[in-house]
């Protein structure tokens, strides 16, 4: 997993729970990297699992809720560091529809070894989108947070529902209906 995800995650933890919490979860996680991340390097996904598990224990929130909160937070960081990607789009549906064909292509240029989820579009209209998220990591709650923040970025609102197609969250159908 790319280091930028780790650095953004730790920034979120610090912003929401404080520096002491960051120190505590790194110390308790027994990480091979010792919690020292650079944005360009790659790290074992299990380190993220450890950090989220320790954060869950530390703050008393479910791991899935923390992953969702991270998705909300991550959108802002990515849009600040790569505004050129988002500026190409006029609507949130347009941006989400282009994840595979544009956004992930851009990410792969920046981070060739990134392991990205796939999004298969099932149906699209001007105000709705149905797609299937697939990832061996099962971080669909992160995707949900990113999708929600996409609408907020465009000053839009949407009803976002999801259905687990596989119980472990590695395949999830998202149905999105934009309002107003």
């Amino acid at each position: 997993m790319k280091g930028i995800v780790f650095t953004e995650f730790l920034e979120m933890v610090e912003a929401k729970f404080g520096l002491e919490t960051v120190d505590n979860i790194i110390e308790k996680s027994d990480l091979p990297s010792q919690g020292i991340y650079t944005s360009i390097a790659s790290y074992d996904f299990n380190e993220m699992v450890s950090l989220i598990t320790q954060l869950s224990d530390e703050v008393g929130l479910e791991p899935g809720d923390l992953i969702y909160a991270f998705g909300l937070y991550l959108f802002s960081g990515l849009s600040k560091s790569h505004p050129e990607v988002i500026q190409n789009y006029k609507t949130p549906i347009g941006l989400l529809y282009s994840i595979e064909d544009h956004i992930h292509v851009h990410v792969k240029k920046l981070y060739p070894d990134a392991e990205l989820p796939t999004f298969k579009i099932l149906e699209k209209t001007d105000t709705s989108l149905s797609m299937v998220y697939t990832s061996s990591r099962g971080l669909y709650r992160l995707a949900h947070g990113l999708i929600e923040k996409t609408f907020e970025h465009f000053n839009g609102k949407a009803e976002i529902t999801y259905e687990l197609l596989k119980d472990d969250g590695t395949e999830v159908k998202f149905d999105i209906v934009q309002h107003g």
Side-chain angles (χ1 to χ4, degrees), residues 84-136:
E84 70 282 1
V85 176
I86 295 170
Q87 289 170 351
N88 289 326
Y89 301 96
K90 304 284 184 243
T91 68
I93 296 284
L95 186 144
L96 294 170
Y97 181 73
S98 299
I99 291 172
E100 285 297 320
D101 296 333
H102 179 249
I103 295 169
H104 281 177
V105 170
H106 184 78
V107 171
K108 280 292 198 182
K109 285 179 188 173
L110 295 170
Y111 309 106
D113 61 339
E115 293 178 44
L116 301 172
T118 60
F119 291 88
K120 179 182 176 191
I121 304 300
L122 302 177
E123 187 178 333
K124 177 196 176 289
T125 70
D126 288 343
T127 58
S128 69
L129 188 64
S130 181
M131 61 184 174
V132 174
Y133 158 96
T134 306
S135 172
S136 62

Side-chain angles (χ1 to χ4, degrees), residues 12 35 42 57 67 101 141 146 169 180:
M12 180 202 76
S42 292
D57 291 347
I67 292 167
D101 296 333
R141 297 290 308 272
L146 286 165

Side-chain angles (χ1 to χ4, degrees), residues 1 8-9 19-20 25 30 36 38 48-49 64 70 89 97 101 107 114 123 129 138 140 151 153 155 158 165 173 179:
M1 183 172 252
E8 289 283 336
F9 178 74
L19 188 56
E20 185 177 331
I25 67 170
D30 189 31
I36 301 168
T38 64
M48 182 59 74
V49 172
F70 180 48
Y89 301 96
Y97 181 73
D101 296 333
V107 171
E123 187 178 333
L129 188 64
Y140 68 95
F151 281 88
H153 175 80
N155 298 313
L165 302 177
K173 181 181 178 220
H179 301 290

Side-chain angles (χ1 to χ4, degrees), residues 8-19 21-22 73:
E8 289 283 336
F9 178 74
L10 294 175
E11 285 175 16
M12 180 202 76
V13 173
E14 182 177 355
K16 293 191 177 296
F17 305 107
L19 188 56
T21 301
V22 172
Y73 184 88

